[in-house]
Amino acid sequence: MAKVSIIVPVYNVEKYLRKCLNSLINQTLKEIEIICINDGSTDKSLEILEEYKNRDSRIILLNQENSGQSIARNNGIKKATGEYIGFVDPDDWVETNMLETLYDFAKKHDSQIVKFDYFEFFEYSNKLKKIDFVNRIKKDFKYDLISKPYYSWRQLKKGCLTKFDLHVWAHFYSAEFIKSNNIRFNPTKHGEDHLFANGALILADRVDYLNEYLYYYRIRSGSAVNIKSDQN
């Protein structure tokens, strides 16, 4: 059994996919599985996935008709065998020590969920911005995460389900916690992160916080989160 299962939903991201996959196959933690779900891509994404699958036996490739990343992620959860589950979007990338750092921290604290920090990368300006959860939670809730590096909705209550960072890729989850509570993504095209993240947040005894920047979130025009629509 793998120590960590990483779930990557893939749809028409040939421009970015190699950078993402390279950051995963070169992780310092070797006992991982990388579950890539091709969501009916019409560009060269599938070719790239097959190329990397042939190079690295830890890559598991699933194919589905275009159904959205929520269904792709749910299929990844079904396939996952790791002790912990993480999510990476295919146009993002991560630090090469991310999984080892998170796994060691989660094991030490017997974590159900670990929250960690990340960078926003603005593609149009090629600039990075640190997203610091410590300052955000201090501003919104007057809560000191440095002295108490854990939190729950029971402590903070009002506003927490909208003011917390609800990106699933900025969290690291116990597979047993996710699967035993049947926490899944709602099959919508947009906003599915929030539904999954809130379900996990409500059911968790606590969320442990790791003050390290481990993930690079690419902000680009045309991505699902930046498209205004009735669904969104």
Side-chain angles (χ1 to χ4, degrees):
M1 183 176 74
K3 289 181 176 178
V4 178
S5 300
I6 287 293
I7 295 171
V8 186
V10 176
Y11 178 71
N12 287 358
V13 284
E14 62 179 4
K15 181 179 177 182
Y16 310 106
L17 188 53
R18 291 181 186 277
K19 186 176 183 71
C20 175
L21 293 175
N22 285 336
S23 74
L24 294 174
I25 64 174
N26 291 311
Q27 286 291 303
T28 56
L29 182 68
K30 302 304 181 185
E31 301 94 331
I32 65 174
E33 59 183 11
I34 305 162
I35 304 172
C36 299
I37 307 95
N38 174 47
D39 186 30
S41 295
T42 56
D43 65 355
K44 294 183 179 179
S45 293
L46 179 56
E47 292 179 32
I48 294 169
L49 289 172
E50 288 175 337
E51 172 195 330
Y52 275 75
K53 180 178 181 291
N54 290 333
R55 284 173 50 187
D56 195 317
S57 61
R58 297 172 301 171
I59 292 179
I60 299 168
L61 177 56
L62 306 178
N63 282 292
Q64 65 179 42
E65 294 183 3
N66 181 237
S67 308
Q69 67 177 0
S70 57
I71 291 176
R73 285 171 171 163
N74 285 341
N75 287 333
I77 291 171
K78 288 179 189 175
K79 188 72 173 177
T81 65
E83 296 174 60
Y84 291 89
I85 291 174
F87 299 94
V88 174
D89 283 352
D91 49 354
D92 301 336
W93 71 99
V94 303
E95 294 285 3
T96 53
N97 68 335
M98 183 181 86
L99 298 184
E100 183 174 20
T101 301
L102 288 170
Y103 180 80
D104 290 346
F105 182 85
K107 292 291 282 187
K108 179 180 177 180
H109 296 277
D110 193 25
S111 303
Q112 293 174 319
I113 307 175
V114 178
K115 169 76 183 82
F116 55 93
D117 291 321
Y118 60 92
F119 294 98
E120 286 183 344
F121 172 71
F122 296 88
E123 187 176 68
Y124 47 84
S125 64
N126 209 39
K127 291 183 178 179
L128 286 174
K129 178 183 177 182
K130 285 184 174 181
I131 303 301
D132 191 334
F133 192 61
V134 167
N135 291 332
R136 180 174 177 178
I137 203 169
K138 189 172 185 178
K139 177 184 175 183
D140 289 339
F141 299 100
K142 307 296 188 289
Y143 188 84
D144 184 6
L145 264 178
I146 299 300
S147 61
K148 295 180 181 178
Y150 54 85
Y151 60 94
S152 78
W153 71 269
R154 296 168 188 84
Q155 294 169 284
L156 306 178
K157 297 180 181 177
K158 187 175 180 180
C160 68
L161 297 186
T162 56
K163 291 183 178 180
F164 282 170
D165 184 344
L166 301 176
H167 296 298
V168 295
W169 43 256
H171 296 78
F172 190 66
Y173 299 93
S174 157
E176 181 182 1
F177 168 69
I178 292 300
K179 292 184 177 184
S180 64
N181 286 289
N182 197 32
I183 302 169
R184 297 292 187 272
F185 292 90
N186 201 54
T188 55
K189 291 280 186 176
H190 305 292
E192 73 290 333
D193 275 24
H194 293 186
L195 297 166
F196 182 98
N198 276 333
L201 176 65
I202 289 168
L203 290 166
D205 297 326
R206 71 176 192 277
V207 179
D208 293 309
Y209 173 66
L210 176 61
N211 186 20
E212 292 198 31
Y213 299 87
L214 300 171
Y215 192 102
Y216 294 83
Y217 169 50
R218 184 188 300 271
I219 296 178
R220 59 187 175 93
S221 59
S223 62
V225 73
N226 292 316
I227 296 172
K228 292 183 179 179
S229 68
D230 290 340
Q231 281 182 317
N232 204 356

